[in-house]
Amino acid sequence: MPFARRHPLSRLFEPEIVALVGASDNVLSAGGAVLRQMRGGPFRGTLLPVNPRHATVAGLKSYPRLADLPVQPDLVVIATRADTLPDIVTEAASIGAGAAAILTAGLGTDRADNNRILARICATAQKSGLRLLGPNSLGIARPSSGLNATFGLAPVARGSVALLSQSGGLTSAVLDRAATDGVGFSSVVSLGNQLDVGFAEALDFLTLDLETESIVMYVEGVKHARRFTSALRAAARIKPVVVLKSGRGPAGSKAATTHTGALAGPDEAFDAVLRRCGAVRVAGFLQLFAAAKYLSSRYRPVGRRLAVITNGGGPGVMAVDRASDMGLTVGPLSPGTIAELDRKLPPHWSRDNPVDLMEDARPDLYRHAIGACLEDPGVDGLLAIVTPQAMSDPAAVAGIVKEAAERAAKPVIACFMGELSVREPLRALHAERLPTFQSPEPAVEAFAAIAGFYENQRLLMQVPGPLSIQEKSPDVEGATMIIDNAIGQGRTVLSESETKAVLAAFHVSVAPVAIATDAVAAITAAQQFGFPVALKVNSPDITHKSDVGGVWLNLQDGRQVREAFQRIVEDVQLAQPGARIEGVAVEPMAVKRHGRELMIGVSTDSVFGPVIAFGAGGREVEIVADRSVALPPLNGMLAHALIARTRVAGSLDAWRGWPAASMSAIEETLLRVSELVCEIPAIESLDINPLIADETGAVVADARMVVKSSGPRSRGRYEHMAICPYPTHLTREWSWPDGRSVTVRAIRPEDAEMEQAFVRGLSEESRYFRFVNAMNELSERMLVRFTQIDYDRELALIAVVHDGVPDEQIAVARYVMTPEEHTCEFAIAVADGWHGKGIGRRLMSALMEAARDRGLEVMVGFVMSHNTRMLHLMSDLGFEVGPDPDDPSMRRVRRDLTTWRGLAKPA
């Protein structure tokens, strides 16, 4: 049962008939500009102008209304006043149009009349299935078909890069620059206000689009975090995605209840999202354009090590400086490469990277240098810089660069500085789709952006499995009771003891704590713990205890404890008179001779939900500001990468006689915190500061948690997460009549070998029924696709028996959400030896239940007409069986999940 049907946005991206409402002879109007672009494309479909005031427009027959059109349009482009939109959209829906691109500007959400207009448009579109682009959109272009329904000035050349942008102005600027620099596009989409079609929907189409090899995006804001991240992850698995986002952060930090809230801002959260999604962020328009230019070439770098060849020392230094800024390595060449260059180059060459050929560099010197550097195993890419000199021949060097680029597996970038002398060489390289620039900085920036894509791909491919599947599970219920108790008392800030209790419920190692309401009780607790101890004020009204004199450390005996208790009460009352003081917290000093003070925090981004921060801890945490952030859920590799991005990571290694801190303990704490925020949506923020780590382990010395009422869940268990964690709760154990135990669970990346063995073991008929071809095994790409999945948009349940070593997969059932969002398409395969034993029925039942709980309403599938066994199972499960309108050899099966109540009879 294969997946794949026509995408719902096909009529927007690939229309055969376009109606232009507001078509005009006035090229200064939006309707006139679009008409000019469509005629100039030229559009290879049918263009139908709509204008009630004119019988003809630009020599074409015009129609008064959409209802008067002789044929049904795929796309309606609307370039009229805002007040006309509801009626036009209603009319477009009534005649069965597939999509409408609303170019009308001036629509916001502040004024009541605009709200009414937008509400009417949305209601009409949702009821009819009409897809909307805009309002406030520059339009859409698809050069392969001549579609240019935009009112920009520049033509749009055909290429392999797709451009998605929220800003019509930036879209227009990119197209204008691209027209002179030889960059072509597969699609250009100006999203505007994203009333309906947004980044997620457009990315879904472009991910499957054969004409699109890479994607560049300009983002101002994200409305639906889960849909955005899910679509971006799916796209970046297949194609490079580069993002420019405006609004990098607020002008200044606002006060926050926890340190982490002040440290991890919205922009850092967005960076973390892009890293985890496998996309790359650039800093500005020039970098975005440079990346678009690079992506239009056929090269993909696999590292950050760059070799620079130049005939001018200054440009070489410029390239190295920018490479350093971008985190690239312009490192030493190998001894073999140096020796090779010594044999081929004049004695005065630089003997280093950059390879400076000096001002009298002839083309043959470039040939030798480029060839040797590309052979160097320590080089991932090459930048050739040419400055016009009396002895140089830019045209000849351009030919050498072209030849090298055609042969090399590594990317080759050309930088021809100047204007008059390099005009023709640049034009020749543009024609070959080779990335060329006229200054070193953008050339380096382009390489850095796409090199970052390779690095982020490693993060994208991490699909964290269940942390506690083979260990003692966390006490989620107990932790939730502590939080609910505080919320029931009207408190949002947990005390230190409550916070540590929640952490301990998730098996985080914490320093013990006791609450004392008087000095005698404090001394008693200290005696029980053993000296030295620390005293901290216990007050629901005080967040940062040390700021009000509420912390005393390293107390050595009972007298010091008594004095500290009294001083804490006095100092806190003086500094914060209205604060409620409920005694002090007594805890043993986390004395670790080789201890490092670290910080782990959680903050909640308003769009993307929980974000985990790691960095240097201690009192100066906000001043030092050494931290990195990541999106949960984490696994070992992701936790390690989070730590490695900080400066404090260097102090965790052995140095100056100190043994290395236990990285496994630090990573384990990060994983447990990740599990905590995944399972308990009520957590608003969390400070673990300090986390004391040494060679023996890591222990939480102090912690503070802020909580909120999580409210009812509408989309499922992990709706508060931008990335859906591994669905541990779907794991089931089935006992079979023959005594064998079958485990049903969601697939994980480490199941790849077992999945491949399962497919190889299927009979030829079973493989054909599942994949509709005679394949013998899954390709590497298919194997990754089937095992490294996004649990938000798809699910694969496997049935595993444990008869021997290794385990054996005996069945798999999976669904994938369709672009309609409330519908999913399924497929199932059962090992031949298990046919007729009820495993397919049980597995399909579990898959349908999971899909229903996810909020999906309809499940569909496509079964070969002669697969009678599968058709019988579908009928038995209540699926409607009918013809497939696209393929007479297939049957379409459909089930309403909202009425599914489980198996009607035992398997």
Side-chain angles (χ1 to χ4, degrees):
M1 286 179 293
F3 294 114
R5 283 294 184 269
R6 182 175 172 86
H7 196 280
L9 294 187
S10 294
R11 295 177 75 184
L12 172 65
F13 280 86
E14 299 171 333
E16 296 180 3
I17 301 172
V18 175
L20 174 56
V21 182
S24 170
D25 290 314
N26 180 8
V27 296
L28 298 180
S29 68
V34 172
L35 186 60
R36 182 193 68 236
Q37 294 279 33
M38 294 287 287
R39 302 288 303 273
F43 178 51
R44 285 185 280 281
T46 302
L47 176 62
L48 303 173
V50 176
N51 189 319
R53 298 180 180 177
H54 301 283
T56 61
V57 177
L60 298 175
K61 175 179 172 58
S62 177
Y63 299 87
R65 300 168 58 246
L66 287 171
D68 298 319
L69 296 178
V71 291
Q72 182 186 77
D74 297 302
L75 172 63
V76 176
V77 181
I78 305 174
T80 60
R81 301 188 319 272
D83 61 310
T84 66
L85 292 180
D87 290 340
I88 295 173
V89 170
T90 298
E91 196 171 5
S94 69
I95 64 172
I102 304 174
L103 312 188
T104 307
L107 271 171
T109 57
D110 294 332
R111 292 169 47 191
D113 55 341
N114 282 344
N115 287 339
R116 284 192 293 270
I117 290 173
L118 294 174
R120 285 186 59 189
I121 292 173
C122 283
T124 300
Q126 291 173 0
K127 183 177 180 180
S128 65
L130 178 73
R131 302 310 303 262
L132 301 179
L133 178 67
N136 198 25
S137 168
L138 185 76
I140 184 170
R142 185 79 168 170
S144 60
S145 65
L147 174 69
N148 188 353
T150 72
F151 55 89
L153 293 174
V156 184
R158 184 175 181 176
S160 60
V161 181
L163 171 64
L164 296 178
S165 173
Q166 276 182 272
S167 167
L170 185 130
T171 304
S172 182
V174 170
L175 296 180
D176 193 68
R177 179 75 179 266
T180 59
D181 276 28
V183 176
F185 297 91
S186 62
S187 298
V188 176
V189 186
S190 172
L191 296 170
N193 292 6
Q194 302 185 80
L195 193 61
D196 173 27
V197 175
F199 284 110
E201 293 79 11
L203 282 169
D204 281 340
F205 179 89
L206 295 171
T207 298
L208 303 175
D209 180 34
L210 297 179
E211 295 188 22
T212 298
E213 296 178 7
S214 50
I215 303 168
V216 293
M217 301 167 56
Y218 171 72
V219 180
E220 293 177 348
V222 175
K223 293 183 178 180
H224 306 290
R226 180 72 73 85
R227 286 164 56 189
F228 176 82
T229 56
S230 183
L232 187 56
R233 284 164 62 84
R237 284 180 186 273
I238 301 173
K239 305 170 182 183
V241 182
V242 178
V243 179
L244 168 63
K245 183 182 184 298
S246 60
R248 295 189 69 86
S253 297
K254 296 182 179 180
T257 305
T258 59
H259 294 287
T260 310
L263 287 175
D267 200 60
E268 288 180 298
F270 190 79
D271 276 341
V273 168
L274 293 188
R275 278 195 300 269
R276 189 64 179 277
C277 290
V280 178
R281 185 174 184 177
V282 293
F285 168 75
L286 293 178
Q287 290 87 345
L288 180 71
F289 190 80
K293 197 171 183 181
Y294 198 116
L295 287 169
S296 68
S297 73
R298 56 184 176 274
Y299 300 106
R300 299 290 180 264
V302 293
R304 304 186 72 83
R305 301 169 298 181
L306 181 66
V308 179
I309 300 172
T310 178
N311 66 341
V317 173
M318 293 168 64
V320 172
D321 286 346
R322 192 61 185 135
S324 177
D325 295 339
M326 304 298 293
L328 300 175
T329 299
V330 184
L333 301 172
S334 69
T337 301
I338 295 292
E340 175 68 15
L341 293 175
D342 278 339
R343 287 193 293 269
K344 298 292 182 65
L345 302 184
H348 57 269
W349 80 281
S350 63
R351 305 197 81 255
D352 200 358
N353 184 14
V355 178
D356 189 354
L357 304 176
M358 305 299 177
E359 287 79 2
D360 58 349
R362 303 181 307 277
D364 63 310
L365 300 185
Y366 271 97
R367 186 187 305 277
H368 296 319
I370 291 173
C373 288
L374 287 175
E375 291 296 323
D376 193 317
V379 170
D380 297 315
L382 184 142
L383 168 60
I385 303 175
V386 180
T387 62
Q389 307 285 344
M391 289 72 70
S392 66
D393 186 345
V397 175
I400 292 168
V401 169
K402 173 180 175 296
E403 293 173 6
E406 289 174 345
R407 294 193 309 268
K410 301 173 183 179
V412 178
I413 312 171
C415 171
F416 284 72
M417 302 183 71
E419 184 60 45
L420 182 63
S421 302
V422 300
R423 189 176 299 160
E424 289 305 318
L426 284 171
R427 185 177 292 120
L429 292 175
H430 285 162
E432 297 295 328
R433 291 182 61 202
L434 293 174
T436 54
F437 302 88
Q438 288 183 267
S439 60
E441 291 90 347
V444 171
E445 290 163 359
F447 180 80
I450 313 306
F453 165 76
Y454 168 75
E455 291 189 350
N456 287 354
Q457 284 293 294
R458 294 186 303 119
L459 303 183
L460 168 65
M461 294 306 174
Q462 300 303 307
V463 183
L467 181 61
S468 299
I469 193 168
Q470 293 178 336
E471 305 172 27
K472 184 180 178 182
S473 298
D475 184 4
V476 178
E477 183 178 358
T480 302
M481 290 175 62
I482 294 171
I483 292 172
D484 288 345
N485 180 66
I487 293 174
Q489 295 176 6
R491 292 187 291 118
T492 60
V493 180
L494 300 191
S495 68
E496 180 181 348
S497 60
E498 289 172 322
T499 301
K500 286 184 174 179
V502 172
L503 291 171
F506 279 77
H507 309 300
V508 176
S509 178
V510 299
V513 61
I515 303 301
T517 57
D518 56 45
V520 174
I523 294 171
T524 302
Q527 294 286 358
Q528 292 173 345
F529 287 139
F531 294 101
V533 296
L535 263 62
K536 304 172 186 176
V537 65
N538 183 41
S539 170
D541 303 319
I542 297 173
T543 300
H544 304 306
K545 298 180 285 290
S546 58
D547 294 347
V548 294
V551 178
W552 283 65
L553 304 175
N554 205 33
L555 304 174
Q556 300 293 331
D557 53 36
R559 179 182 58 81
Q560 290 185 2
V561 169
R562 183 180 63 249
E563 293 176 357
F565 187 98
Q566 294 170 349
R567 288 291 301 276
I568 285 175
V569 173
E570 293 170 359
D571 290 347
V572 171
Q573 288 178 339
L574 183 63
Q576 198 165 328
R580 291 168 291 173
I581 300 176
E582 299 176 350
V584 299
V586 183
E587 59 189 59
M589 286 292 296
V591 178
K592 290 180 176 286
R593 181 183 175 191
H594 303 129
R596 285 79 154 177
E597 290 193 340
L598 306 173
M599 179 276 295
I600 295 176
V602 175
S603 62
T604 301
D605 182 76
S606 59
V607 176
F608 295 105
V611 177
I612 296 177
F614 172 85
R619 293 186 61 182
E620 294 78 26
V621 60
E622 290 164 340
I623 298 173
V624 175
D626 172 31
R627 82 280 184 187
S628 62
V629 300
L631 224 59
L634 301 178
N635 65 3
M637 186 269 185
L638 293 169
H640 185 81
L642 176 63
I643 296 169
R645 289 195 298 270
T646 62
R647 297 190 302 275
V648 77
S651 73
L652 302 178
D653 296 328
W655 64 290
R656 294 187 179 181
W658 281 34
S662 173
M663 287 294 293
S664 61
I666 299 170
E667 291 175 8
E668 173 76 5
T669 305
L670 281 166
L671 295 180
R672 292 300 180 184
V673 170
S674 172
E675 188 175 38
L676 170 64
V677 299
C678 290
E679 296 298 332
I680 302 186
I683 297 175
E684 178 75 24
S685 61
L686 167 67
D687 272 345
I688 296 175
N689 182 27
L691 174 74
I692 310 285
D694 67 0
E695 69 276 14
T696 65
V699 61
V700 175
D702 196 1
R704 174 60 62 92
M705 183 181 293
V706 178
V707 296
K708 62 184 177 182
S709 176
S710 57
R713 295 177 178 177
S714 57
R715 288 188 60 201
R717 186 184 184 96
Y718 299 113
E719 62 179 313
H720 64 296
M721 310 286 295
I723 297 176
C724 186
Y726 181 85
T728 307
H729 62 285
L730 296 179
T731 301
R732 299 286 187 273
E733 294 290 336
W734 293 344
S735 295
W736 230 249
D738 60 5
R740 282 185 285 185
S741 175
V742 177
T743 299
V744 173
R745 60 171 173 80
I747 203 166
R748 302 195 296 264
E750 56 265 35
D751 295 324
E753 186 175 339
M754 186 167 61
E755 172 84 354
Q756 183 72 280
F758 168 73
V759 173
R760 287 172 181 161
L762 294 175
S763 66
E764 184 175 339
E765 181 185 54
S766 293
R767 284 197 299 268
Y768 190 77
F769 281 157
R770 169 60 182 89
F771 300 106
V772 198
N773 63 43
M775 60 181 294
N776 293 320
E777 63 177 28
L778 300 174
S779 67
E780 182 177 352
R781 185 168 181 173
M782 290 177 69
L783 199 58
V784 170
R785 173 69 188 82
F786 283 173
T787 58
Q788 297 184 13
I789 68 175
D790 182 339
Y791 299 112
D792 181 60
R793 60 171 49 205
E794 58 186 309
L795 177 65
L797 292 178
I798 58 174
V800 179
V801 293
H802 313 288
D803 289 345
V805 179
D807 291 342
E808 179 188 0
Q809 179 180 325
I810 60 171
V812 59
R814 69 177 67 234
Y815 72 71
V816 177
M817 286 177 59
T818 67
E820 290 91 344
E821 293 187 5
H822 296 298
T823 301
C824 63
E825 191 171 329
F826 79 93
I828 182 173
V830 178
D832 292 79
W834 283 79
H835 287 175
K837 297 183 179 181
I839 189 71
R841 193 167 186 269
R842 293 279 295 270
L843 199 58
M844 274 299 300
S845 175
L847 187 74
M848 293 162 66
E849 181 179 347
R852 182 200 62 198
D853 293 346
R854 170 63 181 80
L856 299 175
E857 298 174 358
V858 176
M859 180 175 282
V860 298
F862 299 88
V863 184
M864 300 193 75
S865 299
H866 57 285
N867 190 351
T868 55
R869 185 172 56 246
M870 185 61 64
L871 291 173
H872 177 74
L873 172 62
M874 294 299 102
S875 296
D876 192 37
L877 291 172
F879 280 78
E880 302 170 4
V881 180
D884 178 2
D886 298 324
D887 188 346
S889 69
M890 305 290 289
R891 304 287 284 173
R892 181 178 184 269
V893 297
R894 182 185 186 279
R895 179 66 158 88
D896 181 355
L897 296 177
T898 62
T899 62
W900 174 251
R901 296 294 180 266
L903 290 173
K905 56 184 178 181

